[in-house]
Structures are given as C-alpha cells and as structure tokens.
Amino acid sequence: MTETIVTEYLNSKILNDAVNGVREMKAPKHFLPEMLSKIIICSLDRSDDDKEHASTLIHSLRHEGLISGDNFMQAFLNVLDQCPKLEVDIPLVKSYLAQFAARAIIAELVNIAELAQPLETGTHFPLFLLCLQQTAKLRDREWLTDLFQQSKVNMQKMLPEIDQNKDRMLEILDGKGLGFLFPLLKLEKELLKQIKADPSPQAIYKWIKDNISPKLHTDKGFVNILMTSFLQYISHEMCLTEGDEQLDTPSKEQLDQEKQLLLAFKPVMQKFLHDHVDLQVSALYALQVHCSNSSFPKGMLLRYFVHFYDMEIIEEEAFLAWKEDISQEFPGKGKALFQVNQWLTWLETAEEEESDDDAD
C-alpha cells in the first residue's frame, strides 16, 4: 500500500493525494517507522528531485500530525541497518540518507542532538559528518554553525575511538570541509604560529580580522585563546619553559623584556577587552591557567596583575569580579588567590577611598 502511494506521488508530484492516501491507511502507531522506511527506500534509486519530494512528503505528514520526529529517527535507523544489502544496487545509499537527515534537520523534524545520539563513537562513521555536509550545502555555513553550537553535541564523541582527540578531529573535519564548525580550534592551532611569524599588533589584529568571525570577538573562548597565545609567546621570547629555575627568579633584563612585550600587545588586548568586564575576567582566568601550568612561579601572577592594572588592560571591577567568582572550571584558583590577595585588598581599599573622594 505504502509503495503504491509513494510511486504514484513521485510520478504525479501531487502532495495532497499522497498525504490523504496515508491518512486513509489509518496505520497503527507501531507501523509508522516501517511506513517511513518504505517512503525513503522507494525513492533511493530515483532522481535527486524525487528524493527531495519524498522528504517533502515526510515533512508534510509531520505537519499534519500523522507522524513524529521519533518515527522518522526509527525509520532512518531501520534503513541504515539495511544499508549493506541496499549498497549492492545503490552504492551511494549513505549519502542519500544524509540528504534525508539534512532536510529533516532544516524542517525541524529532528534536531542535531537527536540525530547524533545513535551515531556516537563513530557508529556508521562518517555518516554524521555527511549529514552535516549536506545540511551546510542545503542551507549555509553560518546557520549550521549556530545550530551545531546550540546542540551541545561533543564532536570528538562522534568519531571512532582512535580519533577522539582535538588535533585528529580538526584534521578529519577539515578533510570533510567542516572545519568552519570550530573556528576557535583553528584559532588555537594557528594564532601562536602567527604571532611568532609577525608579533606586530597590526599583523596580529589583521590576521584575527581576516580569519575569525566578528561574532566570536566577544566570545570568552576567543579571549582565553588570545591571552594564552600572548602569554605563551612572552614566555617563549624570555626563554622560560616549565620546570625552568629562572621562572622563579627571572633576571632584570627578562623582567624588562616581559613588560615591553606586554606593552607591545596592549593595543590588541585593549581592542577586544575594553568595556567588556566579563571578557576581562576570562583574560584573568587565562593568566591563572598559564601560571598554574608552570606551578605558579613566584611573583609571576602578581607581576602580571600589576602590569594589566597599570597599563589599563584590565579594570578594577574585573579584578574584583575574578576574586569573587567561585567557578571551578579553571585549575589553580586557590593558589592564585593566595599569591595576589594582598594586592586585591589594596585595590579594593583604593577603590573605596576613590568612591569616598568622589562623594565628597
């Protein structure tokens, strides 16, 4: 019955007749996934136009309340289980299924998280990536990036276990033309290289402007990577590495160099941090982690706090917000507070005295 309705619909393209035909079948709920599987399978060896029409029929059935997103996902997985048999006659069956999934995402029949769940740990790999490729092709990259970020899907978990690390993930995504989904990963990988190639503020700012969407310029992750890259570059130029005794006792020349490098990067930092207290707090957390990774060298954190304050990179409000914040997301907060608590108390007192003077 289903095959007859679908064949007639794909030949005539009269949607209402097909929807009414399904309605009149009065199929029991447990049969709906099988019915949808047949709609998909009937169109697989037909033209792309016919496959698109089959998707339109499925979405119309949902609109009419005759099927649900769960029914579609069950049908999708049913067809997937039949792939080894179907691939004998239709080698590109997984690519065609990816098109059905992409259209279902765009039509809000299912969401990305629902599609991802049964495909975790590389199940039917690279089907999930094919679905995202098709979605980007049918809509656009920016729309998909927003939707993917909202989904909270852990992309590393979508890969085979052997590939579940950041570098391999970026390599695979770039190979599939999906690197755009993780612009901050690209930044993390490339920014320090760019700074080492040309540390001038103009070159750094131009590279960021050319490679990172303006929407991300106020993202805490972006600021964290920006600050971490600057701090790593400064340590590299001062020839200080983890475990180096000089980390605790840098020479006067090294301290002067540290200050001069920070002054050189000041325009870029101010460009992205000015008037954004929340981003300034993120910058302080990046500094905290940088110091924590080096086992909190004596005086380093305090030195940077004073520089950031004197150079007007970080405002008083941000320092005090960092002090009061109880987030456990970043390691070393207790040790960090111990090192700068006295200075923060001075800052708070100075703030209060300034407020009193203003009131007078």
Side-chain angles (χ1 to χ4, degrees):
M1 182 73 171
T2 306
E3 289 95 328
T4 307
I5 291 170
V6 176
T7 304
E8 285 178 3
Y9 163 61
L10 294 179
N11 290 334
S12 70
K13 307 294 189 287
I14 302 172
L15 183 60
N16 282 344
D17 286 357
V19 172
N20 288 332
V22 171
R23 187 184 281 111
E24 286 162 13
M25 278 172 62
K26 294 182 179 170
K29 282 186 180 176
H30 68 268
F31 177 70
L32 295 176
E34 190 182 332
M35 179 188 76
L36 293 176
S37 300
K38 286 179 179 175
I39 293 174
I40 293 169
I41 290 169
C42 280
S43 70
L44 288 176
D45 61 352
R46 297 181 65 124
S47 68
D48 286 346
D49 188 48
D50 281 351
K51 285 190 272 289
E52 188 173 347
H53 275 91
S55 283
T56 303
L57 173 57
I58 292 170
H59 304 157
S60 297
L61 294 175
R62 157 73 185 275
H63 183 71
E64 294 294 322
L66 298 171
I67 61 135
S68 67
D70 281 347
N71 297 150
F72 173 80
M73 276 308 300
Q74 286 173 279
F76 180 78
L77 296 171
N78 288 347
V79 179
L80 207 44
D81 287 340
Q82 297 177 54
C83 272
K85 187 174 72 178
L86 292 167
E87 278 172 334
V88 175
D89 296 317
I90 309 164
L92 294 176
V93 63
K94 282 190 179 174
S95 294
Y96 297 150
L97 267 179
Q99 289 176 4
F100 276 95
R103 292 192 190 101
I105 288 167
I106 292 165
E108 297 180 8
L109 177 59
V110 293
N111 60 45
I112 289 177
E114 288 166 340
L115 179 69
Q117 195 269 324
L119 302 177
E120 283 183 357
T121 60
T123 305
H124 298 293
F125 182 80
L127 180 61
F128 182 68
L129 301 185
L130 294 177
C131 295
L132 295 179
Q133 275 183 327
Q134 290 295 334
T135 308
K137 194 172 163 188
L138 293 168
R139 277 294 297 257
D140 62 75
R141 289 180 167 199
E142 199 169 324
W143 180 85
L144 178 59
T145 303
D146 288 344
L147 201 68
F148 184 81
Q149 286 171 354
Q150 288 164 27
S151 77
K152 308 287 187 209
V153 166
N154 182 338
M155 183 61 93
Q156 283 188 52
K157 282 189 177 175
M158 302 310 299
L159 305 178
E161 282 188 32
I162 195 169
D163 295 319
Q164 289 183 11
N165 63 72
K166 222 187 270 185
D167 288 342
R168 183 69 183 124
M169 180 182 87
L170 197 55
E171 192 182 319
I172 290 169
L173 291 177
D174 279 341
K176 297 285 181 191
L178 291 168
F180 65 87
L181 289 172
F182 292 90
L184 291 181
L185 269 186
K186 180 182 178 183
L187 177 70
E188 192 174 355
K189 207 172 169 67
E190 298 294 328
L191 183 57
L192 186 57
K193 268 196 264 178
Q194 292 298 323
I195 296 171
K196 285 177 178 176
D198 187 346
S200 69
Q202 298 87 344
I204 296 164
Y205 181 67
K206 184 180 185 307
W207 186 85
I208 291 170
K209 203 174 162 194
D210 291 346
N211 289 276
I212 304 298
S213 163
K215 277 170 52 176
L216 289 169
H217 293 178
T218 53
D219 184 289
K220 290 178 181 179
F222 163 74
V223 166
N224 191 296
I225 292 166
L226 181 72
M227 294 302 292
T228 301
S229 299
F230 283 145
L231 294 166
Q232 286 175 343
Y233 176 78
I234 290 169
S235 292
H236 173 265
E237 287 299 295
M238 290 168 66
C239 301
L240 298 178
T241 55
E242 286 178 43
D244 193 330
E245 283 182 20
Q246 279 195 301
L247 278 169
D248 282 322
T249 55
S251 66
K252 184 179 182 303
E253 289 77 13
Q254 285 175 316
L255 291 175
D256 286 343
Q257 186 186 18
E258 179 183 77
K259 187 175 180 179
Q260 290 310 310
L261 286 167
L262 205 50
L263 275 169
F265 295 140
K266 173 182 163 179
V268 184
M269 292 183 187
Q270 285 180 327
K271 177 74 183 169
F272 295 108
L273 297 177
H274 183 64
D275 278 345
H276 292 284
V277 171
D278 59 330
L279 298 183
Q280 291 174 28
V281 172
S282 292
L284 291 175
Y285 273 118
L287 172 61
Q288 172 190 311
V289 172
H290 178 73
C291 293
S292 176
N293 289 342
S294 302
S295 305
F296 284 101
K298 187 180 176 184
M300 181 191 274
L301 186 68
L302 178 59
R303 225 168 40 238
Y304 272 104
F305 266 47
V306 172
H307 287 326
F308 283 161
Y309 179 71
D310 289 346
M311 293 178 192
E312 298 183 339
I313 293 167
I314 307 284
E315 299 166 41
E316 294 92 330
E317 192 183 338
F319 284 112
L320 301 177
W322 172 85
K323 178 189 175 185
E324 298 302 325
D325 187 44
I326 55 170
S327 168
Q328 297 298 311
E329 190 182 344
F330 304 98
K333 182 69 177 280
K335 283 187 178 178
L337 278 169
F338 183 76
Q339 291 204 352
V340 294
N341 212 30
Q342 207 173 339
W343 183 82
L344 288 169
T345 303
W346 166 82
L347 182 65
E348 219 162 353
T349 309
E351 271 271 274
E352 285 166 9
E353 285 173 1
E354 198 176 298
S355 299
D356 291 342
D357 290 345
D358 289 344
D360 293 340

